[in-house]
């Protein structure tokens, strides 16, 4: 038998009785396409593995998207409860018949300093740093973060050889987080939200949204609220372990 081929000619049509009487390998041959029958064992197995990997990747993407939608809904509900509680707290207390001496002389406490926005995070969903969380919370002093392979970058991705020394940056401007490639060798890519991943133009800002997937070097990251980051990271780590098994 030719070792480069794992099939033998078989009639083009077989009745059910003939198929049932055939040994298991022969039954398999009747279900293969002409292209598959023309493959070597190695080619066939490699094609089957590639199909399985692609299926697992789609499954992971679907699960992550469903999780993001559920988290977004839950976050909105929590925000509604918070606003309702704040409204109740802002209501003035009932007037007292006897004015308090301390109330008339005490100065109002200064309002606590508020962050310009909720903190966000990059969560690695694929690659060497899967499960890693990088927090971004703007302040009056800090509204720009550099990303690269060298230690002086705010986000150091040392260990990923596909990342440039100074690869990209994220800035908080006009109440929005924006990502820009700073002239990296391999480029910075953004996708998600139902759109195909595309390469960013050098030094041109791209507004980030929670649905976005960002590829920097050999890793893919999801842009998410920091409040959801730990749950999302645990989820993708578990999926990666299942895919590895």
């Amino acid at each position: 038998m030719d070792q480069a081929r794992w099939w033998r000619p078989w009639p083009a049509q077989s009745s059910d009785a003939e198929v049932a009487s055939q040994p298991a390998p022969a039954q398999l041959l009747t279900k293969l396409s002409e292209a598959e029958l023309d493959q070597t064992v190695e080619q066939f197995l490699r094609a089957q593995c590639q199909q399985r990997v692609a299926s697992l990747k789609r499954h992971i993407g679907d699960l992550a998207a469903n999780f993001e939608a559920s988290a977004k809904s839950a976050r909105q509900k929590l925000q509604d409860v918070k606003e309702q509680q704040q409204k109740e707290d802002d209501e003035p207390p009932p007037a007292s018949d006897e004015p308090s001496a301390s109330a008339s002389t005490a100065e109002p406490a200064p309002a606590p300093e508020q962050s310009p926005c909720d903190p966000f995070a990059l969560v690695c969903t694929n690659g060497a740093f899967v499960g890693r969380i990088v927090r971004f919370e703007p302040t009056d002093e800090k509204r720009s973060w550099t990303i690269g392979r060298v230690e002086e970058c705010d986000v150091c991705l040392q260990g990923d050889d596909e990342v440039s020394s100074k690869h990209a940056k994220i800035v908080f401007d006009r109440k929005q987080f924006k990502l820009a490639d700073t002239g990296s060798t391999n480029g910075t890519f953004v996708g998600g939200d139902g759109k195909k991943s595309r390469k960013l133009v050098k030094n041109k800002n791209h507004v980030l949204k929670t649905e976005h997937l960002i590829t920097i070097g050999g890793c893919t990251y999801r842009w998410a609220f920091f409040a959801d980051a730990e749950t999302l990271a645990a989820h993708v780590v578990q999926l990666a372990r299942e895919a590895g098994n």
Side-chain angles (χ1 to χ4, degrees), residues 205-226:
N205 286 332
H206 176 86
V207 177
L208 292 173
K209 298 181 180 179
T210 54
E211 296 84 1
H212 283 167
L213 294 174
I214 303 163
T215 300
I216 300 175
C219 295
T220 300
Y221 303 83
R222 180 177 289 274
W223 184 249
F225 283 100
F226 181 75

Side-chain angles (χ1 to χ4, degrees), residues 6-7 28-39 44:
W6 58 287
W7 60 275
L28 175 62
L29 292 177
T30 61
K31 299 179 180 180
L32 299 177
S33 64
E34 290 294 332
E36 290 174 329
L37 289 171
D38 196 41
Q39 293 176 335
F44 178 79

Side-chain angles (χ1 to χ4, degrees), residues 181 184-191 196-202:
D181 184 275
S184 65
T185 301
N186 295 319
T188 304
F189 299 81
V190 176
K196 185 179 180 180
S197 179
R198 64 183 182 87
K199 185 177 182 180
L200 297 185
V201 178
K202 179 182 176 181

